[in-house]
Amino acid sequence: MRVAEPGKLQSAINVTPLVDVVLVLLIIFMVVAPHMRQGKGPEIDMPATAKPREQGVDRSRIVVTVDERGGLWIDDKAVAAESLGDGLRAAAGTEPDIKVVIKGDAKLAFGEVRKAMLAIEQAGYHGVGLIAEHAGAKTQKG
């Protein structure tokens, strides 16, 4: 071995540790994903219908939730009934054509949901939608 001779570089990349880390992360996400809550607002028991329309995540909408005690929520924030209009305008910001949808608890009387609908329409938002879940979804959640 000569003193002046440089050592050879090994340019092979060892991907085994990378694959191990990615597989561990995949398993973690698979275990945690079913427990992650979708939607906005408090956890409620939504009414079931035979054929609800697909209700994907839409960023250009405001979700108003009416819980089982009749409390109102705009997205994740509780709001008093008398300040619902102001809360909706604050949540809408500068977005011109924002949709408002209502999630009502299944135990509520329809009158409570109707009051929320009227308050939303008085605030200037027309064509309020309702969110329901598929009738078989409750038994699958189990």
Side-chain angles (χ1 to χ4, degrees), residues 38-108:
Q38 290 183 345
K40 300 176 180 179
E43 187 71 31
I44 63 167
D45 184 26
M46 290 193 301
T49 61
K51 293 185 180 182
R53 291 181 18 194
E54 281 299 316
Q55 300 157 358
V57 175
D58 186 5
R59 302 219 186 278
S60 64
R61 72 178 186 183
I62 300 172
V63 178
V64 176
T65 306
V66 185
D67 62 18
E68 64 184 32
R69 295 181 310 273
L72 295 172
W73 298 71
I74 296 177
D75 293 334
D76 287 331
K77 297 176 183 156
V79 21
E82 51 274 354
S83 62
L84 181 64
D86 295 331
L88 287 171
R89 285 187 278 283
T94 59
E95 192 148 350
D97 295 327
I98 196 155
K99 297 174 186 171
V100 179
V101 293
I102 296 178
K103 277 187 348 183
D105 195 282
K107 298 173 189 138
L108 279 175

Side-chain angles (χ1 to χ4, degrees), residues 8 17 28 32 37 57 60 72-73 76-78 81 84 93 99 110-111 116 118 121 126 129-130 140-142:
K8 292 187 177 185
I28 290 171
V32 171
R37 211 177 93 211
V57 175
S60 64
L72 295 172
W73 298 71
D76 287 331
K77 297 176 183 156
L84 181 64
K99 297 174 186 171
F110 182 72
L118 289 173
E121 286 185 3
H126 301 288
L130 296 173
Q140 293 173 356
K141 285 182 187 176

Side-chain angles (χ1 to χ4, degrees), residues 116-136:
M117 291 175 77
L118 289 173
I120 292 169
E121 286 185 3
Q122 288 173 354
Y125 298 93
H126 301 288
V128 178
L130 296 173
I131 297 179
E133 66 182 13
H134 193 276

